[in-house]
Amino acid sequence: MDGRGLCTHHVVTAPLKIVRAQKQYMIDSMGVQYLDCVSNIAHVGHCHPQVVTAGKNQMATLVSAQGFMNDSLNKYVKQLLNYLPDVLCVCYLVNSGSEANDLALRLARSYTNRKDVVVFDEAYHGNLGNLIDISPKMFKRMAQGKKDFVHVIPYPDTYRGMYRDDPRAAEKYVMEAERIISQATRNNRNISCFISECIVVNCGVIVPPRNYYKLLYNLIREAGGVCIADEVQTALGRTGEYFWAFEHYSVIPDIVTTGKPLGNGHPMAAVITTREIADSLGEYYSTFGGNPVACAIGMAVLEVIDNEKLVQSAKAVGKTLLESLTQLKERHSCVGDVRGTGLCLGVEIVEDKCSRKPARELTQAIIMSLKEEHRILIQGQGPNHNVLTITPPMCFTQLNARSLYNALDAVLTAYANRSTLNVEVGSSMVQIPLVSSEDLRNLEEEEEVEGPEAKRPRTSYDDMD
Ligand code: PMP
């Protein structure tokens, strides 16, 4: 028991051993099927037959064409570029989101001949040393700390950030960025680039205000830098309506990176930029990047997205889910905020709406209960680990959305009623008492003053007011 945490210390979390997966479902070693609300990697659905067949066939035909002309590469790159503005016309194929961001930094630095990088606080851009340096989520918790060439600006969180519920939040957050960049310039630092997710999933699915990026990109370019959109998580229609998250903001980045969804689980990623920026780099070479198997798989993914109208579906299913989750916010006092777009949604769990204090342990208990009782896999994100993040495969249906809503409602109702959560762990049932440690302390004090009668369970949040 610690802080205002829930008393879940006695619960042994059951590790999940996943052995296979299909569409939006994962199956464990006991044959139990779970609804996957997490995997933004199995973009068109786990083991989609068209993608599997494309990979198998290509693997049996040609795996590496290193140093020779490779038709599948040209075909795939052409197809991917069709989804981007004309000015973004040079594409590099690499093997991971980290590799893509590393190359993007190299491109920005070679083009501007500068080194410094502007990033969002709590951002994560990959696991290479170079990227840890520009990922506050990582370096803030490491001995190395922030390097001099990194300039951290606040992400525009209109729920929990410094400018909340403010119609002029975009302007105010950009003014804050301007202050930090001007300070850096005064210290003789030269900005090479700004890199961010446009919908900031890693910070807890932050959806910046509409005009934010227009203003911020102008500021960065005026300071001599280029703008990189990290679409490693948000690409290929994840955010609904558009193929890329940056399109929601009517801006065109100078460099776009993407990864996770491209290969539906096969390791492949891409960097796309302008001719001018690409020309500054000189030669580029990768052994596995753009190999025939990756390209065949990538091509199949794009075809499935098109054939199955997955971008339109993400928009429609996401809209319904967002609306229903918003009802949860009205009905449950621990649901502080519901936000997102398409199949990229976040539900922020708080101790109460007034204080907005993050409820980290409750978030963990909800995740666990959804898994154990409702067979739904969901994850927690954000700097306070209190944002339920919903990024399922794009074949997620309206029915799946309804199941998720019903399950979450049931779990939150149990919390509001302060009942215990019955959690099946392995072959035995374990009860998670949904009582915060502070509540427990209060109850103990009441008991001392008023006798055991005061220890009745509270029936709703109203009782607490
Ligand atoms: N950028 C973002 C926004 C990410 O979320 C991640 C991975 N979670 C990466 C980059 C790194 O991608 P990878 O793990 O494929 O190297």
Side-chain angles (χ1 to χ4, degrees), residues 245-306:
F246 70 77
E247 291 178 280
H248 290 274
Y249 294 93
S250 309
V251 290
I252 299 181
D254 303 294
I255 304 172
V256 176
T257 61
T258 180
K260 286 182 198 280
L262 286 193
N264 214 45
H266 189 80
M268 59 184 293
V271 182
I272 305 107
T273 190
T274 64
R275 168 64 55 203
E276 231 186 328
I277 292 177
D279 282 347
S280 72
L281 186 74
E283 215 163 313
Y284 173 80
Y285 177 79
S286 166
T287 298
F288 296 119
N291 71 73
V293 176
C295 290
I297 287 174
M299 197 70 182
V301 169
L302 294 179
E303 278 164 16
V304 173
I305 292 172
D306 196 30

Side-chain angles (χ1 to χ4, degrees), residues 14-28:
L16 202 56
K17 188 173 171 194
I18 296 294
V19 291
R20 58 199 171 85
Q22 231 183 12
K23 300 180 181 174
Q24 60 276 44
Y25 304 101
M26 296 184 114
I27 295 109
D28 76 4

Side-chain angles (χ1 to χ4, degrees), residues 140-176:
K140 274 167 77 170
R141 291 154 188 97
M142 291 163 68
Q144 70 166 59
K146 186 181 84 61
K147 303 248 165 99
D148 288 346
F149 66 84
V150 180
H151 309 287
V152 179
I153 62 172
Y155 52 89
D157 181 349
T158 53
Y159 176 70
R160 181 175 295 290
M162 58 202 291
Y163 303 114
R164 302 175 175 192
D165 311 316
D166 183 338
R168 287 187 44 82
E171 288 80 359
K172 290 182 180 174
Y173 274 110
V174 172
M175 273 166 67
E176 185 58 20

Side-chain angles (χ1 to χ4, degrees), residues 201-246:
V201 185
N202 284 328
C203 295
V205 193
I206 301 299
V207 183
R210 277 275 171 260
N211 52 339
Y212 176 75
Y213 285 107
K214 272 201 169 150
L215 298 170
L216 188 71
Y217 276 21
N218 279 344
L219 177 72
I220 298 294
R221 286 168 178 153
E222 275 164 20
V226 298
C227 301
I228 305 172
D230 178 341
E231 298 259 2
V232 166
Q233 295 209 47
T234 49
L236 308 204
R238 159 75 41 207
T239 57
E241 188 159 4
Y242 301 112
F243 217 66
W244 309 92
F246 70 77

Side-chain angles (χ1 to χ4, degrees), residues 313-323 341-345 398 401:
S313 174
K315 183 184 174 190
V317 176
K319 183 169 179 283
T320 315
L321 188 52
L322 185 72
E323 281 166 6
T341 166
L343 287 175
C344 186
L345 303 175
Q398 295 283 11

